[in-house]
Amino acid sequence: MQNKHVIFQDWGTVGYQEAWDKQESLFADTVAIKTQNRGAENPQPTPNYLVFVEHPHVYTLGKSGKPENLLLDDAGLSKNQAEYHKINRGGDITYHGPGQLVGYPILDLDNFFTDIHLYLRTLEEAVILTLADYGIAAGRYPGYTGVWLDPDLPTARKICALGVRCSRWVTMHGFAFNVNSDLSYFKHIIPCGLDDKAVTSMAQELGKALDMEEVKQKLKQHITVLFSMQLSE
């Protein structure tokens, strides 16, 4: 039986390693339940979580990433008060920091749909709809994940990056949505390995800082509807 109940948690501002450890714990618990359920007469429903968080300045490199896409050495990281982590999601290098809304859906896709590409497209769609709420037209860049502005033009710029891990149809990691981000930090990396593509934020596009809580509520609502979730705090 599919369990579409999702527990929403807002972790506030949390260091990357602490958040990764908490994610790994929720992820491991869910995978353990799935393992126990195999052949069980009364299988236990698997839980689902949607986590929102902001991180202090940090660069993360995915499994397929190239370390040389980080343009800072240890001294440069220290000067910019930034950390660096190699992690187990897909994708290349990306930046997280204050003003960026990071979402970690830890879902058992057996409760929704077992299609990782549809999963990624659905997360992208939630961000696209949120941007539309603010009058920002966004879309997809053929061949790449994430959400882009002017994807068909030379002015193409990325506003949301995606990188996920999925094992036994349980997901972790997720998306990084530039709301009020300090975009200067992207100058220290080749974002997602794309050296000819710009990045942007909602604040950059609208010329003003956004109410992060309002953006969270809108995005949370779009995710809830698109996945047919039953969300609880």
Side-chain angles (χ1 to χ4, degrees), residues 126-186:
V127 174
I128 290 168
L129 291 173
T130 302
L131 289 165
D133 289 337
Y134 290 89
I136 300 173
R140 297 175 179 85
Y141 197 107
Y144 299 101
T145 59
V147 177
W148 299 73
L149 308 192
D150 295 342
D152 303 320
L153 300 174
T155 52
R157 52 212 185 274
K158 195 174 198 176
I159 199 165
C160 181
L162 270 74
V164 303
R165 177 188 175 202
C166 184
S167 177
R168 298 196 181 177
W169 294 114
V170 180
T171 65
M172 65 176 288
H173 299 300
F175 60 84
F177 182 16
N178 297 331
V179 181
N180 298 318
S181 308
D182 180 347
L183 298 178
S184 70
Y185 275 79
F186 285 97

Side-chain angles (χ1 to χ4, degrees), residues 13-35:
T13 300
V14 177
Y16 191 82
Q17 187 65 55
E18 180 184 347
W20 190 9
D21 291 343
K22 290 170 77 171
Q23 264 201 96
E24 286 276 15
S25 177
L26 295 174
F27 175 85
D29 289 348
T30 303
V31 170
I33 291 169
K34 292 197 80 169
T35 302

Side-chain angles (χ1 to χ4, degrees), residues 56-67:
H57 302 297
V58 62
Y59 297 101
T60 66
L61 184 73
K63 290 184 294 184
S64 58
K66 297 177 180 176

Side-chain angles (χ1 to χ4, degrees), residues 28-228:
D29 289 348
T30 303
V31 170
I33 291 169
K34 292 197 80 169
T35 302
Q36 292 165 7
N37 280 344
R38 283 188 299 191
E41 287 187 21
N42 299 300
Q44 183 182 347
T46 46
N48 305 289
Y49 302 90
L50 174 61
V51 175
F52 282 177
V53 66
E54 286 182 65
H55 294 306
H57 302 297
V58 62
Y59 297 101
T60 66
L61 184 73
K63 290 184 294 184
S64 58
K66 297 177 180 176
E68 56 266 32
N69 287 332
L70 175 65
L71 308 178
L72 294 174
D73 57 13
D74 288 346
L77 287 167
S78 179
K79 179 182 175 183
N80 287 277
Q81 298 179 305
E83 295 182 355
Y84 172 58
H85 293 275
K86 294 180 180 179
I87 61 172
N88 59 357
R89 60 161 170 79
D92 206 291
I93 197 161
T94 196
Y95 159 77
H96 302 306
Q100 183 189 71
L101 174 51
V102 178
Y104 294 135
I106 303 165
L107 309 178
D108 179 1
L109 292 183
D110 273 320
N111 289 324
F112 300 94
F113 46 76
T114 49
D115 183 331
I116 197 66
H117 292 287
L118 178 59
Y119 172 66
L120 292 169
R121 301 296 84 79
T122 306
L123 289 178
E124 290 167 351
E125 188 65 21
V127 174
I128 290 168
L129 291 173
T130 302
L131 289 165
D133 289 337
Y134 290 89
I136 300 173
R140 297 175 179 85
Y141 197 107
Y144 299 101
T145 59
V147 177
W148 299 73
L149 308 192
D150 295 342
D152 303 320
L153 300 174
T155 52
R157 52 212 185 274
K158 195 174 198 176
I159 199 165
C160 181
L162 270 74
V164 303
R165 177 188 175 202
C166 184
S167 177
R168 298 196 181 177
W169 294 114
V170 180
T171 65
M172 65 176 288
H173 299 300
F175 60 84
F177 182 16
N178 297 331
V179 181
N180 298 318
S181 308
D182 180 347
L183 298 178
S184 70
Y185 275 79
F186 285 97
K187 295 176 182 175
H188 304 307
I189 59 171
I190 300 174
C192 305
L194 305 174
D195 59 4
D196 61 340
K197 300 290 185 291
V199 293
T200 190
S201 67
M202 292 182 71
Q204 171 93 356
E205 297 298 321
L206 297 175
K208 63 179 182 181
L210 280 294
D211 180 336
M212 181 66 93
E213 290 307 313
E214 181 183 87
V215 176
K216 286 179 181 178
Q217 290 303 318
K218 291 180 182 294
L219 179 58
K220 183 167 67 171
Q221 180 61 25
H222 288 306
I223 292 173
T224 300
V225 171
L226 289 169
F227 281 91
S228 301

